[in-house]
Amino acid sequence: MVDFIDVIIPIPLKKLFTYTVTQAEAAFLKPGMRVAVPFGKSKIYTGIVFSIHKEAPAAYEAKDVQQILDDKPAVNSQQLQFWGWIASYYMCTLGDVMRAALPSAFILESETVVSKSKVHLADESILKDDEFLIYEALQHQSSLKIHDISNILGKKNVLPVIKRLIEKEAITVEEEVYEKYKPKLVRYVKLHNSYTSEKDFHELMEELGRAPKQREVVLTLFSISAKTKKPVKVTDLVADSGASSSIIKALVDKGILEEYHIQTDRVEYSGDDTSDLKQLNEHQEKALKTIQTSFETHSVTLLHGVTSSGKTEVYVKLIESVINEGKQVLYLLPEIALTTQLITRLQNYFGEKVAVFHSKYSVQERVEVWNHVLNHSAKAQIVLGARSSIFLPFSNLGLIVVDEEHEQSFKQFDPAPRYHARDAAVVLSHVHKAKTLLGSATPSLESYYNAKQNKYGFAELTVRYNNVLMPDIELVDVKEKQKKKRMKGHFSDRLIEEMTEALAEGHQIILFQNRRGFSPIVECKTCGHAPECPNCDVSLTFHQYRNQLRCHYCGYQAAMIQDCMACGGQDLDSKGFGTEQIEEEVKLLFPDHKVGRMDLDTTRGKYGYEKIITALEQQEIDILVGTQMLTKGLDFRNVKLVGIMNADNMLNFPDFRAHERSFQLMLQVAGRAGRTEERGKVLIQTYNPHHNILQQVSTNNYTEMFKEQMNDRYNFKYPPIYKQIKITLKHKDFNRVETASIWFAKSLRQVFGEHVLGPEAPPVARIRNQFHKNILVKIPKQQSLAKTKEAIIKINNSFASVKDFRSVRVILNVDNF
Ligand code: ADP
Ligand code: ZN
């Protein structure tokens, strides 16, 4: 007799796969344990046991589990429940969720990686159609994994194709073994046991009289350990004694010092004792009470608090009371807001109870946090994390704080699961019977609407801490200024005046330039041609620093052209303007001041962003030019003036959320001005100063914005009034994606009628050589979401069974952003 287990495998399979186990194994196994299972012709995967039962699969003969990898579950039951919700709500597979949720070090496996052959293929016509698809894809990407290939070909079993390609010498195959987790070992030294008595120590000192450097090292070691009463790191000893490591080695060789290792965490709190929590002011106190009361009846509460009102201090109080009950806290925020500033602020209160989970940290660092959370260790009672930290193995969550809840970066765009971390956090809270606090100075319409409907509780902070006034916001009419010749480059006379004054007073300035928008950056003045990306339907952007043209969609780069590629003309104009150009202009206008720039190009690497923030904090930068990276929760003391260079391109962005987002973005950047004592000043340059959004921004009128935008959402059937699912079809052949998308939309219309929009091409219709088509399904409140999804899945299944459509990629995006 055998038993069966259903296993989650980290690949997008529609169903769980069933394997056989012995009865003894079945008795040992528990859901959440890892097993190694064979799949397909020759692959072995790490899977997660989902259930243990006695029912043989009807369609195939179950294979044996190859190996059991754990003796206790690596994934707990709350997680499995949460994974199930994510998969069903966001219409993806449990395998997709598993891949996103587990640190890759847990999925011990070797993945085949295919890359282009070094030899040039003389004759491409020897390749069959499917072989050519792979070969061609490799002309644009350096390598492909097996699942990429099966996506391209639209089938699971791709090994035969790969085998043929290898035989034809068109590709090569290598094995990429996932990095395994190794705890970091730190070297320590101590005095050898034979010198610990006072007498022996004195003898040793005399003995070392002729080796003063070595004597110095031993004395330093003695004084460090007397002072700290803790093990002494080799690095500390080197730093304090000024000795080279060869001297220490000599002492170790002589048997005077002894070297040993202790396993440590990479992310370590090195601060001193924790400081007391701040005393809340009356407004904060009131907001805290309101939140606590609302938690008695609502599991989710929204805190709408203007910038610099002290929301963080309110969170801190709530966090304190939850950890005092012995429960865990998750503090979620957009990755970019996860700054040292904030981490230090929390560590000052909670010391090493705070753990940080960030995608820029190494696999190792993430596994450490994972294990602390899994073991419910005091070291990670409070997790400060970006989007993916919702997948940590919490077992006893008491509170989730979602700060900057309006941020769109909480939504994962690609790959599946395409989840929204704020919304998923609410569900995660339910799983743990915990509470969720959403916080923002500019709440999303969704959350504010939920609060209005009394689905969520609501609390407010309407004044800044210390009663600092909200910044004074002035709109500058660029059209008017141009007419009167009062513009210098992209700077109006008003902006220059205010900048001059702020600098004279010793204040700092932030200039915000949103680079989104479609205007070509380089254009030929003679024929109007703009260089485009060869892989995508967008113009290339000029990057002055490297003198390059780059595609912001696929990363393509080329040297800047000297003359027009179409007509050969040499008069090239740079239209539109980015952060680099603003930086150049500022340097010319204010040559005596230090200018910095913060955008994707200047913040690469783990600490790139931090370095710029620190430079601003330490006033090494007088004027900082940046993109939306600037908007996220930063708290600078000396910034008095904020300039928004151009409000129009964000307002004109073709998206139903563009107005809401512009409002949020502008108020958030404005919120960086004048956070202490003196009132800040904000100048917004625009061609359209009468735009309602700009009027609402300048009067800080959230409720007016909410009313007006909700009206539009209601009229045009957009969220939060209607839910929506976006279906994207992609293929390298334009005609095929065209026919396929028409077929798909027609089938959807038969079920949902007028609530189907499209197919239509997105603003950038081709990316990485794939043509895109979008179809939107709008779902009224009274229509069952579950039934809607069922119908879409059914249509998708029949779609996949049409031979011509099999290679078309279909992406389902629930609550798309
Ligand atoms: P928000 O998160 O609402 O933008 P912060 O929590 O960052 O605001 O607070 C703004 C500033 O005011 C911070 O420098 C913070 O240290 C200070 N602050 C807020 N509340 C208090 C308090 N109760 N006592 C002392 N300082 C406070
Ligand atoms: Zn491109």
Side-chain angles (χ1 to χ4, degrees), residues 393-423:
F394 298 103
S395 49
N396 189 17
L397 263 179
L399 172 71
I400 305 181
V401 175
V402 186
D403 198 9
E404 313 286 347
E405 68 83 29
H406 63 279
E407 260 300 312
Q408 63 184 105
S409 63
F410 278 127
K411 172 86 174 170
Q412 163 135 329
F413 175 63
D414 216 23
R418 296 179 173 80
Y419 63 98
H420 196 301
R422 173 197 63 212
D423 301 344

Side-chain angles (χ1 to χ4, degrees), residues 38 87 91 96 131 142 149 168 177 261 269 281 406 447 501 503 509 561 565 612 645 670 680 696 809:
M91 303 179 82
D96 289 327
E131 296 166 15
S142 57
I149 294 180
K168 291 177 184 172
V177 178
H261 295 89
Y269 170 65
N281 68 18
H406 63 279
S447 299
E501 194 186 315
L503 292 169
I509 300 170
I561 48 169
M565 292 192 285
I612 300 178
M645 302 307 296
Q696 289 151 3
R809 235 187 117 199

Side-chain angles (χ1 to χ4, degrees), residues 556-570:
Y556 172 88
Q557 8 186 296
M560 172 61 183
I561 48 169
Q562 295 310 314
D563 31 46
C564 173
M565 292 192 285
C567 75
Q570 293 201 325

Side-chain angles (χ1 to χ4, degrees), residues 278-279 284 308-313 345 465 635 637:
K278 292 200 170 72
Q279 180 91 34
Q284 291 169 316
S308 204
S309 55
K311 294 184 286 297
T312 319
E313 302 302 328
R345 206 165 149 187
Y465 181 72
D635 188 24
R637 329 254 75 210

